[in-house]
């Protein structure tokens, strides 16, 4: 029975009686919306309660589609892997509802910017049929005002009592209380698609009246964002363009980068093309908002526009620095280091940098702007060095940047985040973490989303490798909640990579795969996207899903990025016999292109694929040196089980930070996800060797009641107490014996 919520009372009674029949020779499958959305709500509620209390009933709550399911549905209908922007837009627009998602995907046109099809709009507003006129009027007015629904503004626009209408819209499921703030949060539309349909159904006269009343209230309240939207809807383009600049700045500072970017687009459409100052401000805010929101291609376009219109060396330097950060996130490393960051420094060191753009002498304010830009430049160079240099070399750079910021009257938060991270990685963990927490608070107070996001990500990077399963998961979840709350998409992928590495380190492969797929379809950083694809492929190999691993390898290769994890995945897929490349050749291609940890992982897969241990040692032995993981793998492959047991402690703890010392020195390495096999491989291979060694020993050596001296006299097997001392201990943990 599909759509139980549409049944009449008699049919509902029949379904309830069938469910209560114990000997019914049939499987009863019922689908329904919540009872408050039913045509006969009381009868539907009674029937659902009766069904829920029936014996052997299984009740399933269907959750909305996530990013992976959304991408798979789009790929199934349109063919090819959809771009991350498309997946993100469709997921947000439909709220993950598979019905509406399918309707949009099967319609013609561009998915990201396609207009709402007429039949879909009709289906969305159909629940209002038969409702009182007030309910429809309030719903359309709320849609025109925007999301979330501001009830005070809605009361002003509707000019009357609207509480019953809002209650009915909640019962119909068209409005919901914001899930993260329930029960006291604002009202929101169930998904943006519904708001689009309701706004589209408003008559021109109704639309003009709502926007006119809302505009007058926005002027009175000083709400620039609302003023820009409503003035543009009324055709007052000059007013809308001026308000859009101020509203975009306010929205970005409030942690709403997507809303700020929408206002920038509105301002560019509605503003005067001759107003160069406003267009320059819009380009600046648009670049910052798009970067914070993780839309790096859009950010690069706005930053280039800002750079062309920049006035003076300080603003030119700021534009170059933002462009450098954007290019790093677009995996354009040469453009970050040798182009944009160097150009930012050149703009401040050029002759007459402290002079005005018209060549006249600079005033005190102009000199102060240049000094502030130089302090920001030093902070940016220190942050860039943290990505490419050892932490010990970064510490003096970050300290100098903090001194320069203090002298110029600039915030020390950006340089402080770099210094705190370098200190934590260099061994002064407590000092570094304390500084990171302080700089995060400063950045949030200054409404600096980029620095706040860096602080959140770097706190996870320096702390997560030290934590266990429960505490590490709590730290990661809190960081991701903060990122989502402030809209800091630019660092969500990097932070997720850290969570993946922690899940693999603690052996939770299911959680690692869940985290990987939560970002892979929507990740806009090309390098992180390739790493996520390769990690997902290796996890698929671990589960034995070879077809998925092959598809993910092809997807990673299609990105055109030379990443070590992709080479490891190629070895793993070849070892499984589902790739035409020989595992030994694939392993040889890793030498000189992968870090030692990646080489060890590739070696494990090559051994799994039948490559002789001697060949593996010849190929990668010189590259990884005396890494205990590689020696462990080779010992197991050669059948030297006792040697493998001796190597097990060193292999399991290799690379772990010692108490009071920092994590591995490179922050970039800490941000890279470690594969499942790299972490669980030594455990499994050594466990196999230990099992074989144990079976041989337990049959020849056993504690008996007649040999009570070495132990308690139990009949349990004897296990090694210490592989170095060679002494033995009974499994009862009694005193060591001979």
């Amino acid at each position: 029975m599909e759509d139980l919520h549409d049944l009449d009372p008699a049919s509902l009674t029949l379904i309830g009686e069938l469910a209560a029949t114990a000997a019914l020779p049939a499987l009863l499958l019922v689908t329904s919306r919540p009872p408050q959305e039913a045509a006969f709500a009381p009868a539907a509620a009674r029937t659902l309660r009766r069904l829920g209390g029936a014996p052997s009933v299984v009740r399933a709550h269907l959750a909305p589609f996530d990013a992976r399911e959304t991408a798979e549905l789009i790929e199934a209908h349109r063919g090819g892997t959809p771009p991350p922007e498309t997946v993100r837009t469709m997921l947000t627009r439909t709220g993950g509802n598979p019905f509406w998602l399918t309707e949009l995907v099967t319609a013609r046109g561009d998915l990201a910017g396609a207009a709402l099809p007429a039949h879909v709009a009709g289906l969305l507003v159909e629940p209002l049929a038969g409702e009182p006129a007030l309910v429809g009027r309030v719903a359309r007015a709320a849609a025109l005002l925007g999301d979330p629904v501001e009830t005070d503004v809605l009361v002003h626009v509707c000019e009357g009592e609207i509480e019953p209408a809002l209650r009915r819209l909640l019962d119909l499921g068209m409005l919901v209380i914001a899930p993260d703030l329930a029960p006291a949060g604002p009202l929101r539309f169930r998904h943006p698609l519904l708001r689009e349909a309701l706004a589209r159904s408003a008559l021109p006269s109704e639309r003009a009246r709502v926007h006119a009343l809302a505009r007058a209230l926005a002027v009175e309240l000083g709400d620039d964002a609302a003023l820009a939207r409503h003035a543009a809807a009324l055709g007052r383009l000059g007013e809308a363009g001026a308000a859009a600049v101020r509203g975009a700045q306010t929205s970005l500072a409030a942690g709403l980068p997507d809303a700020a970017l929408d206002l920038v687009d509105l301002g560019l459409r509605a503003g005067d093309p001759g107003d160069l100052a406003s267009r320059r401000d819009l380009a600046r805010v648009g670049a910052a908002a798009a970067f914070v929101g993780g839309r790096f291609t859009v950010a690069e376009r706005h930053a280039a526009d800002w750079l062309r219109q920049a006035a003076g060396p300080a603003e030119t330097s700021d534009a170059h620095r933002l462009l450098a950060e954007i290019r790093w996130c677009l995996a354009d490393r040469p453009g970050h280091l040798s182009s944009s960051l160097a150009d930012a420094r050149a703009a401040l060191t050029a002759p007459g940098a402290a002079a005005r753009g018209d060549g006249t002498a600079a005033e005190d304010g102009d000199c102060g702007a240049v000094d502030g830009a130089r302090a920001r430049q030093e902070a940016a160079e220190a942050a860039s060095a943290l990505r490419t240099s050892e932490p010990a070399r970064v510490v003096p750079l970050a300290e100098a940047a903090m001194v320069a910021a203090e002298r110029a009257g600039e915030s020390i938060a950006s340089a402080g985040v770099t210094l705190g991270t370098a200190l934590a990685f260099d061994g002064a963990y407590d000092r570094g973490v304390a500084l990171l927490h302080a700089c995060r608070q400063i950045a949030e107070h200054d409404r600096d989303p980029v620095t706040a996001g860096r602080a959140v990500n770097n706190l996870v990077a320096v702390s997560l490798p030290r934590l266990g399963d429960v505490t590490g998961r709590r730290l990661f979840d809190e960081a991701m909640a903060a990122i989502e709350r402030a809209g800091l998409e630019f660092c969500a992928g990097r932070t997720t990579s850290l969570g993946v590495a922690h899940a693999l380190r603690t052996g939770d492969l299911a959680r690692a795969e869940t985290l990987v797929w939560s970002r892979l379809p929507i990740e806009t950083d090309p390098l992180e996207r390739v790493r996520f694809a390769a990690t997902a492929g290796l996890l698929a190999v671990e589960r034995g899903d070879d077809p998925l691993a092959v598809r993910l390898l092809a997807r990673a290769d299609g990105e055109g990025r030379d990443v070590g994890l992709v080479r490891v995945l190629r070895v793993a897929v070849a070892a499984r016999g589902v790739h035409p490349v020989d595992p030994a050749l694939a392993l040889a291609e890793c030498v000189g292109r992968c870090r030692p940890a990646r080489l060890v992982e590739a070696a494990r897969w090559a051994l799994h694929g039948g490559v002789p241990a001697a060949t593996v040692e010849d190929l990668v032995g010189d590259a990884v040196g005396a890494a205990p993981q590689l020696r462990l793998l080779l010992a197991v492959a050669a059948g030297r089980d006792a040697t493998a047991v001796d190597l097990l402690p060193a292999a399991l703890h290799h690379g772990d930070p010692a108490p009071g010392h920092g994590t591995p020195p490179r922050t970039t390495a800490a941000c890279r996800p470690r594969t499942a096999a790299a972490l669980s491989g030594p455990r499994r291979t050594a466990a196999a060797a230990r099992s074989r060694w144990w079976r041989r020993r337990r049959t020849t050596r056993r504690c008996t009641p007649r040999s009570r001296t070495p132990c308690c006299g139990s009949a349990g097997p004897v296990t090694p107490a210490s592989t170095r001392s060679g002494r033995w201990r009974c499994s009862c943990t009694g005193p060591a014996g001979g």
Side-chain angles (χ1 to χ4, degrees):
M1 174 55 63
E2 187 176 4
D3 294 341
L4 178 138
H5 52 272
D6 286 335
L7 294 183
D8 59 88
S11 301
L12 290 170
T13 302
L14 174 61
I15 295 296
E17 292 296 331
L18 290 174
T21 304
L24 184 68
L27 173 66
L28 183 61
L29 178 64
V30 177
T31 65
S32 175
R33 293 180 185 173
Q36 62 268 24
E37 300 181 34
F40 298 91
R46 288 194 298 269
T47 302
L48 287 174
R49 283 198 300 270
R50 191 170 184 181
L51 290 173
S56 303
V57 67
V58 176
R59 185 169 186 166
H61 294 275
L62 304 182
F65 272 13
D66 57 18
R68 179 180 184 177
E69 293 165 328
T70 300
E72 289 175 347
L73 191 145
I74 296 174
E75 184 176 0
H77 284 276
R78 293 293 182 104
T81 303
E85 285 287 350
T86 299
V87 177
R88 187 184 297 183
T89 299
M90 296 297 289
L91 182 61
T92 302
R93 195 178 183 192
T94 62
N97 187 302
F99 178 81
W100 304 120
L101 183 61
T102 304
E103 291 295 325
L104 291 184
V105 169
T106 54
R108 296 180 180 179
D110 180 25
L111 287 177
L116 189 62
H119 73 283
V120 176
L123 290 172
L124 284 164
V125 301
E126 184 182 7
L128 292 177
E131 296 293 333
L134 176 63
V135 176
R137 184 160 60 87
V138 170
R140 291 187 296 272
L144 292 170
L145 291 175
D147 202 15
V149 178
E150 298 183 17
T151 53
D152 295 340
V153 180
L154 192 58
V155 169
H156 175 78
V157 168
C158 294
E159 301 175 326
E161 177 62 34
I162 63 171
E163 188 74 22
L166 290 176
R167 171 56 60 186
R168 183 55 185 158
L169 290 172
L170 280 169
D171 291 341
L172 291 173
M174 304 182 82
L175 292 180
V176 296
I177 299 176
D180 54 336
L181 298 174
L187 298 178
R188 307 190 73 103
F189 285 94
R190 182 174 289 276
H191 43 75
L193 209 63
L194 177 58
R195 189 182 69 82
E196 291 180 40
L198 288 169
R200 176 175 170 173
S201 66
L203 295 174
S205 57
E206 183 180 20
R207 187 185 306 270
R209 183 182 63 82
V210 169
H211 284 303
L213 291 171
R215 175 200 161 275
L217 185 60
V219 171
E220 181 180 347
L221 297 176
D223 188 346
D224 292 315
L227 176 59
R229 292 194 304 268
H230 299 304
L234 293 170
R236 305 167 69 106
L237 301 184
E239 184 180 36
V245 178
R246 303 188 300 269
Q249 294 171 340
T250 303
S251 297
L252 180 60
L256 302 171
D258 291 335
L261 198 56
D262 290 341
L263 287 170
V264 167
D265 293 339
L266 188 152
L268 292 174
R269 293 194 309 268
D272 182 6
D275 188 356
L276 298 182
S278 294
R279 299 188 76 82
R280 182 173 65 247
D281 290 339
L282 285 170
R284 174 177 55 81
V285 178
F291 174 74
V292 172
R295 302 174 65 176
F296 302 125
T297 305
V298 178
E300 186 178 32
R301 187 179 71 247
H302 283 299
D305 291 342
W306 179 29
L307 182 60
R308 284 193 295 269
Q309 305 173 60
E315 189 172 1
T316 301
S317 178
D318 289 341
H320 276 302
R321 275 195 303 277
L322 180 56
L323 196 56
E325 194 67 22
I326 294 168
R327 285 175 174 169
W328 179 273
C329 293
L330 288 172
D332 182 6
R333 302 301 190 251
H336 167 80
L337 294 172
S338 61
S339 177
S340 297
L341 207 57
D343 290 342
R345 166 64 68 178
L348 296 173
T349 57
R356 290 178 174 175
D358 57 4
T360 60
E363 296 179 355
D364 292 342
D366 299 321
C367 293
V370 172
D371 290 341
R374 285 173 178 157
R376 294 191 293 274
Q377 177 69 18
E378 290 190 31
E381 290 175 353
S384 179
L386 186 63
R387 296 179 173 126
T388 56
S389 303
E390 298 299 324
R393 298 182 179 180
V394 179
V395 170
L397 297 176
E399 289 176 339
M402 288 188 69
V403 172
E406 188 174 4
R407 288 176 178 173
E410 292 287 317
S411 173
I412 64 170
S414 180
V417 168
T418 304
L419 178 59
T421 307
L423 288 172
F425 278 126
D426 197 38
Y429 174 77
D430 293 335
R431 289 175 55 200
V433 169
L435 185 56
L436 282 170
H437 280 293
C439 290
R440 176 184 174 182
Q441 293 178 354
I442 294 173
E444 291 173 347
H445 178 270
D446 295 341
R447 296 192 172 185
D448 181 356
V450 175
T451 303
R454 285 184 59 224
V456 171
N457 177 79
N458 291 10
L459 275 167
V460 175
V462 301
S463 302
L464 206 56
R466 298 169 163 269
L467 302 178
D469 184 16
V470 177
T471 54
R473 180 180 298 194
R474 184 183 303 117
L475 173 68
F476 172 78
D477 290 343
E478 290 173 354
M480 292 304 296
I483 288 172
E484 183 179 0
R485 187 166 54 248
L488 306 175
E489 276 290 316
F490 77 98
C491 62
R494 282 174 273 173
T495 308
T496 302
S497 294
L498 298 171
V500 172
H502 181 264
L504 294 173
R505 190 178 299 112
T506 57
D508 194 346
L509 303 189
R511 175 174 168 82
E513 191 163 20
T514 300
L515 292 176
V516 166
W517 280 104
S518 71
R519 287 299 306 177
L520 174 57
I522 59 175
E523 182 55 52
T524 51
D525 185 324
L527 204 55
E528 289 293 344
R529 188 165 62 244
V530 173
R531 289 170 180 162
F532 280 135
T535 304
L538 287 166
L539 288 167
V541 174
E542 292 285 344
R543 290 190 293 102
D545 192 347
D546 295 337
L548 178 59
V550 172
R551 291 199 303 272
L552 287 167
L553 176 60
R555 176 174 180 173
D557 285 336
E559 294 280 353
R561 309 271 176 188
D562 188 9
V563 178
L565 269 175
V566 179
R567 295 183 179 276
V568 175
L569 176 59
R570 189 174 293 110
V571 176
V573 173
R576 298 283 292 181
V578 292
H579 195 277
V581 177
D582 182 78
L585 295 178
L587 178 61
E589 291 181 356
C590 295
V591 179
R593 297 182 176 91
C594 296
R595 295 185 291 112
R598 301 274 187 258
L599 279 177
V600 172
E601 165 67 354
R604 187 182 81 87
W605 282 112
L607 291 170
H608 177 76
V611 180
T615 303
V616 172
E617 188 170 10
D618 290 341
L619 288 173
V620 303
D622 294 337
V624 300
Q629 291 96 336
L630 179 63
R631 290 188 289 135
L632 171 63
L633 293 171
L634 295 175
V636 173
R640 302 192 301 269
D641 298 339
T643 304
V645 172
D646 290 341
L647 291 169
L648 178 59
L652 291 179
H653 298 291
H654 180 69
D656 289 349
H661 296 279
T663 51
R666 292 284 294 276
T667 55
T668 50
C671 293
R672 291 173 184 166
R674 297 173 64 186
T675 63
L679 293 156
S680 56
R683 290 175 172 83
R684 287 202 303 271
T685 53
R690 185 167 52 188
S691 177
R692 293 195 300 268
W693 171 85
W694 171 248
R695 283 195 297 270
R696 291 196 300 268
R697 289 290 183 179
R698 69 183 300 179
T699 59
T700 59
R701 190 174 184 88
R702 186 174 293 270
C703 291
T704 64
R706 287 175 292 181
S707 59
R708 296 181 182 273
T709 302
C711 69
C712 66
S714 70
V718 177
T719 59
S722 170
T723 56
R724 294 181 180 177
S725 65
R727 304 186 71 187
W728 300 87
R729 186 186 300 265
C730 173
S731 62
C732 67
T733 68

